[in-house]
Amino acid sequence: MTDDLPELRASDADRDRVAERLRDALAEGRLDMDEFEERLDTAYKARTYGELEPLTRDLPAVSGSSAPAAAAPGNGNGSALWAARIGGQGTSSGGVAIMSGFTRKGQWTAPRRFNCFAFWGGGTIDLREANFEAPEVVINCVAIMGGMDVIVPPGVEVVVRGIGVMGGFDDRESGVPGEPGAPRVIVTGFAFWGGVGIQRKLTRAQKLERKKNKRLDK
């Protein structure tokens, strides 16, 4: 599966499965500590299946299975977890920043359409811990001599449709396949002498947990 889809984005669960197989290989004596640490670091930095697959290619499958360590999307309970985050009434319909700033982050519910405007200011729309009113939400950004950042969690599909005039919309995350059951976020709008950025990030708690696990593995 990973050989057929080398450019498909890997999820946190995929990286964790590879990390677990590397821990087993260390315990079995198949890897020494230096090899283990090098591969583990590479695993947590990997963005695609193509980058994960070589890390376990020379290791035998677990429990006699021929399945690769980096499983395809849809395995596990990811769909159920996403389903629990979709539904309910939006808790904020928009944000305005005029020579100032606004932030929407933490535990909130993103509406079907979130309209935001920034003039000589900036805004942050952080969806990492958010719920979603519908399977598809639209973030409409108008940035005039200002900027906005849209932060999404791994697994969410992002589509960028904004227009920039002497400004721009970051479309590097556009077109990346989402996980089964994950919401779709459409970022649209207009930027003049300004910009709209889209980033994928873990929450602070997830980063701390990852660092903790890496320390325990050493």
Side-chain angles (χ1 to χ4, degrees):
M1 180 70 72
T2 56
D3 290 335
D4 297 333
L5 301 170
E7 299 305 318
L8 193 64
R9 289 295 182 103
S11 68
D12 287 341
D14 297 321
R15 284 182 278 270
D16 287 341
R17 277 190 284 271
V18 170
E20 188 61 33
R21 183 65 196 98
L22 295 175
R23 294 187 191 100
D24 291 341
L26 177 66
E28 296 161 358
R30 301 181 191 277
L31 297 176
D32 62 30
M33 184 58 70
D34 289 340
E35 290 175 308
F36 168 73
E37 291 180 350
E38 181 179 351
R39 294 193 191 194
L40 187 67
D41 184 64
T42 302
Y44 279 126
K45 291 179 179 177
R47 296 169 65 86
T48 66
Y49 284 154
E51 293 172 86
L52 284 176
E53 194 276 334
L55 301 176
T56 57
R57 182 184 296 160
D58 60 350
L59 301 175
V62 180
S63 303
S65 170
S66 59
N75 290 350
N77 61 351
S79 296
L81 293 175
W82 282 120
R85 295 180 61 177
I86 297 175
Q89 187 69 32
T91 56
S92 178
S93 60
V96 176
I98 299 177
M99 292 186 286
S100 61
F102 74 85
T103 301
R104 297 292 183 275
K105 68 177 183 178
Q107 296 182 346
W108 65 295
T109 299
R112 293 176 184 271
R113 185 178 181 87
F114 183 89
N115 295 305
C116 46
F117 174 80
F119 175 73
W120 278 16
T124 299
I125 304 97
D126 191 337
L127 300 172
R128 287 176 292 176
E129 298 180 42
N131 290 329
F132 301 82
E133 184 176 346
E136 180 175 286
V137 300
V138 176
I139 309 295
N140 182 50
C141 302
V142 177
I144 310 296
M145 292 183 285
M148 297 184 202
D149 288 312
V150 180
I151 305 173
V152 300
V156 169
E157 179 185 1
V158 177
V159 177
V160 179
R161 296 176 180 168
I163 298 173
V165 177
M166 290 185 286
F169 277 71
D170 182 358
D171 63 356
R172 287 174 295 179
E173 299 294 342
S174 187
V176 177
E179 295 178 351
R184 186 181 194 219
V185 176
I186 298 175
V187 182
T188 187
F190 177 75
F192 177 72
W193 278 17
V196 177
I198 296 95
Q199 305 176 58
R200 291 184 192 271
K201 289 184 177 181
L202 298 174
T203 64
R204 184 171 182 274
Q206 290 171 327
K207 290 178 181 178
L208 290 174
E209 181 64 23
R210 177 166 292 181
K211 288 181 180 179
K212 177 182 176 181
N213 290 337
K214 290 182 74 171
R215 286 197 300 268
L216 291 174
D217 292 333
K218 291 183 179 180

